[in-house]
Amino acid sequence: MAKLLVAYASMTGNTEEIAELIVEGIKQGGHEVDLKSVTDCNASDVLDYDGFLIGVYTWGDGELPDEFLDFYEELDELDLSGKRAAVFGSGDTSYEQYCGAVDLAAAKLVERGAEVSPEMLKIEYSPMEQEKDTCRDFGKRFAAAGLQ
Ligand code: FMN
């Protein structure tokens, strides 16, 4: 059984909803998981887990949102070698940099040495009914991959 963290930044609740569905999927797979807002935890918290998933919405022109900046900068102090990670988030396809913050978060985790899943989950606004299982499966697959 893996012990995982899902940490997210969300202003209007869309990324939070994706995070909650991912948590549901992880639990369905029989794993342990904590769900935290990045405003209520430190980046170093990820070191207490077998793996972690970071969710972030995109702001400006493909930029990181303000409430994620402290967490993002704290990552610079961490050695994440060997830590499994995945990224997800909500965005809007009418912007040129669709879910650009998800890509920025992934790049930072790679830079810090994490083993970042090549599969990213990008959802437009909040998940539609048919996308909810996609979110649950994303969590379920990430948790299961750690046991192989
Ligand atoms: N979405 C993108 O994919 N790329 C962007 O560059 C982008 N810029 C945005 C800028 C502003 C000022 C606003 C209001 C939204 C922007 N969005 C962009 C859309 C948000 O990421 C989207 O509404 C998302 O669902 C918000 O997530 P949240 O509910 O978790 O806060």
Side-chain angles (χ1 to χ4, degrees):
M1 188 178 80
K3 186 183 169 205
L4 304 176
L5 171 68
V6 177
Y8 66 90
S10 184
M11 185 169 65
T12 59
N14 297 335
T15 310
E16 182 176 15
E17 192 181 339
I18 300 166
E20 286 167 352
L21 289 161
I22 289 172
V23 163
E24 272 183 36
I26 292 170
K27 286 184 176 167
Q28 283 168 2
H31 301 279
E32 203 180 312
V33 57
D34 288 335
L35 176 65
K36 296 181 184 180
S37 161
V38 291
T39 55
D40 296 331
C41 66
N42 299 311
S44 58
D45 289 5
V46 306
L47 301 174
D48 299 335
Y49 295 85
D50 301 317
F52 61 96
L53 300 95
I54 301 290
V56 63
Y57 70 96
T58 300
W59 192 245
D61 284 323
E63 288 154 30
L64 299 170
D66 277 356
E67 62 265 54
F68 185 64
L69 292 180
D70 284 349
F71 190 98
Y72 182 82
E73 283 165 17
E74 282 164 23
L75 287 170
D76 281 330
E77 293 157 27
L78 303 181
D79 176 4
L80 298 177
S81 306
K83 279 277 170 202
R84 296 180 56 246
V87 288
F88 64 93
S90 173
D92 176 343
T93 50
S94 67
Y95 286 86
E96 204 172 313
Q97 308 281 338
Y98 175 56
C99 287
V102 174
D103 300 327
L104 290 172
K108 175 59 74 182
L109 295 176
V110 168
E111 186 189 308
R112 302 314 306 154
E115 290 173 19
V116 183
S117 168
E119 186 190 355
M120 299 183 197
L121 179 65
K122 297 178 176 179
I123 299 283
E124 179 145 42
Y125 300 119
S126 64
M128 289 186 290
E129 209 46 47
Q130 66 270 27
E131 289 174 313
K132 291 186 176 174
D133 272 341
T134 306
C135 297
R136 293 186 188 100
D137 288 346
F138 183 76
K140 213 179 281 181
R141 269 200 309 282
F142 178 79
L147 303 178
Q148 286 159 12

